[in-house]
């Protein structure tokens, strides 16, 4: 068990098709972390990794995109979201579902785990831990909350609170803050954007203000995300330069957050796999494995 390095998965919608290959590479290489965190699509990576399910890790972001029930414009117009989050997170993973999830294996893994989401009323990032994830419905509801993209999906309610995608928090969707807060000084971070990427300022902030007039903290989070995201990424690259972090970033991101073409997603996964195999010796060197 790797206990002195925090494993962190960034989200990014279907861009995670490329980093799903990193999840599989970690599993096949036997690189077993004792602490892991994920936000948005990174939360899906987290739960697949801790359950040890390489096949589900790939299918979740490749073949599953071909399922007509996961969403589209008709789904959006019916109020279910461009991505039908209820189906994706709370139905597909049930026993007998199209992507059954091995909750027993997930629960048995000894690692500490953190899933981050944005609390709409307070504007704070909430991290759920193993104490909050005792049943399959508890887990999948929180993965859904972490992944609820503003405007594209309806909000997720948990215990009377409204949640959106953790990526609009002050960490920019990269759970470096909680890892540091729990004492880690070394980090293995899986990003879904290229190293050279710089997020531009949000366009049409007045639209967000109007759309989220009942949740102004959400509008603030969306509008200011570019600042937080770029800042946290720069911190990561500084840590990497100082030998405290290993950062995986796709050489070229082959999918967008909304890609639904299975051939394109498969190409992204394959590119991620090839890059992971090239970088595996560097991973082992950093981790001492």
């Amino acid at each position: 068990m790797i206990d002195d390095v925090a494993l962190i998965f960034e989200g990014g919608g279907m861009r995670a098709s490329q980093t799903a290959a990193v999840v599989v590479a970690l599993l096949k290489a036997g690189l077993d972390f004792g602490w892991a965190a994920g936000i948005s699509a990174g939360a899906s990576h987290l739960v697949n990794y801790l359950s040890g399910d390489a096949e589900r890790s790939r299918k979740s972001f490749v073949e599953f995109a071909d399922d007509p029930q996961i969403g589209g414009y008709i789904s959006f117009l019916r109020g279910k979201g461009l991505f039908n989050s209820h189906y994706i997170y709370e139905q597909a993973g049930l026993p007998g579902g199209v992507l059954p999830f091995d909750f027993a294996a997930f629960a048995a893994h000894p690692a500490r785990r953190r899933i981050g989401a944005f609390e709409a009323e307070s504007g704070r990032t909430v991290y759920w831990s193993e104490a909050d994830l005792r049943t399959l419905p508890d887990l999948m509801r929180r993965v859904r909350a972490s992944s609820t993209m503003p405007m594209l999906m309806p909000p997720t309610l948990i215990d009377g609170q409204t949640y959106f995608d953790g990526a609009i928090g002050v960490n920019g969707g990269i759970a470096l803050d909680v890892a540091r807060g729990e004492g880690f000084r070394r980090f293995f971070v899986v990003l879904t954007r290229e190293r050279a990427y710089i997020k531009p300022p949000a366009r049409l902030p007045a639209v967000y203000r109007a759309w989220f007039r009942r949740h102004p903290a959400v509008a603030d989070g969306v509008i200011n995300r570019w600042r937080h995201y770029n800042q946290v990424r720069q911190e990561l690259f500084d840590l990497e330069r100082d030998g405290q972090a290993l950062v995986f970033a796709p050489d070229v991101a082959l999918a967008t957050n909304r890609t639904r073409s299975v051939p394109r997603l498969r190409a992204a996964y394959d590119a991620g796999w090839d890059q992971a195999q090239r970088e595996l010796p560097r991973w082992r060197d950093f981790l001492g494995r």
Side-chain angles (χ1 to χ4, degrees):
M1 186 74 69
I2 301 165
D3 292 319
D4 62 338
V5 179
L7 174 61
I8 299 172
F9 292 110
E10 181 191 12
M14 301 309 291
R15 283 193 299 274
S17 55
Q18 206 149 337
T19 49
V22 176
V23 178
V24 175
L26 290 171
L27 291 172
K28 290 187 178 297
L31 297 174
D32 200 15
F33 288 78
W35 190 100
I39 291 174
S40 196
S44 293
H45 281 345
L46 167 70
V47 301
N48 287 329
Y49 170 77
L50 292 180
S51 71
D53 196 334
E55 183 178 8
R56 190 178 195 274
S57 298
R58 177 183 54 79
K59 284 185 175 180
S60 295
F61 291 99
V62 181
E63 290 88 354
F64 188 41
D66 209 27
D67 188 328
Q69 296 188 74
I70 73 168
Y73 291 110
I74 293 176
S75 173
F76 180 79
L77 293 172
R78 289 176 175 170
K80 296 181 178 181
L82 188 65
F83 288 93
N84 183 347
S85 53
H86 176 69
Y87 174 72
I88 293 169
Y89 299 104
E90 299 193 64
Q91 292 184 298
L94 294 174
V98 297
L99 278 178
F101 181 73
D102 190 344
F103 182 77
F106 170 83
H109 196 289
R112 290 177 289 161
R113 58 212 65 187
R114 305 291 180 262
I115 294 173
F118 185 88
E119 191 178 77
E121 282 77 17
S122 68
R124 67 189 182 102
T125 297
V126 173
Y127 283 104
W128 292 298
S129 68
E130 47 271 21
D132 306 297
L133 312 172
R134 297 188 184 279
T135 68
L136 179 60
D138 286 343
L139 171 65
M140 291 310 185
R141 188 75 172 176
R142 285 159 176 79
V143 174
R144 173 183 173 180
S146 180
S147 308
T148 298
M149 293 185 282
M151 299 180 73
L152 299 183
M153 299 178 181
T156 301
L157 296 178
I158 299 175
D159 298 331
Q161 296 296 316
T162 301
Y163 293 95
F164 284 94
D165 196 315
I168 63 174
V170 294
N171 56 31
I174 302 169
L176 182 62
D177 55 345
V178 66
R180 279 177 157 167
E182 296 192 23
F184 285 94
R185 296 295 177 265
R186 302 180 72 231
F187 314 93
F188 189 112
V189 185
V190 183
L191 301 180
T192 56
R193 295 279 198 181
E194 301 98 330
R195 286 178 177 270
Y197 177 77
I198 298 175
K199 181 172 278 299
R203 295 181 294 174
L204 304 174
V207 173
Y208 298 119
R209 296 283 184 207
W211 189 285
F212 294 109
R213 59 189 179 278
R214 295 183 180 178
H215 294 117
V218 176
D220 288 340
V222 174
I223 292 166
N224 293 310
R225 190 188 171 216
W226 69 280
R227 291 190 179 91
H228 301 145
Y229 184 72
N230 292 338
Q231 178 183 343
V232 173
R233 276 173 55 100
Q234 187 56 56
E235 290 177 16
L236 279 177
F237 295 139
D238 290 343
L239 288 167
E240 186 179 43
R241 180 197 62 212
D242 295 338
Q244 294 178 262
L246 186 145
V247 178
F248 176 94
D251 293 334
V252 179
L254 298 181
T256 72
N257 64 339
R258 303 183 201 179
T259 298
R260 289 283 300 274
S261 165
V262 170
R264 187 173 174 185
L265 294 169
R266 187 174 291 118
Y269 178 89
D270 290 344
W273 176 259
D274 290 344
Q275 183 178 345
Q277 296 310 297
R278 293 195 306 271
E279 294 191 9
L280 184 57
R282 182 170 71 95
W283 301 359
R284 291 191 180 280
D285 184 60
F286 177 78
L287 298 169
R289 294 298 192 276

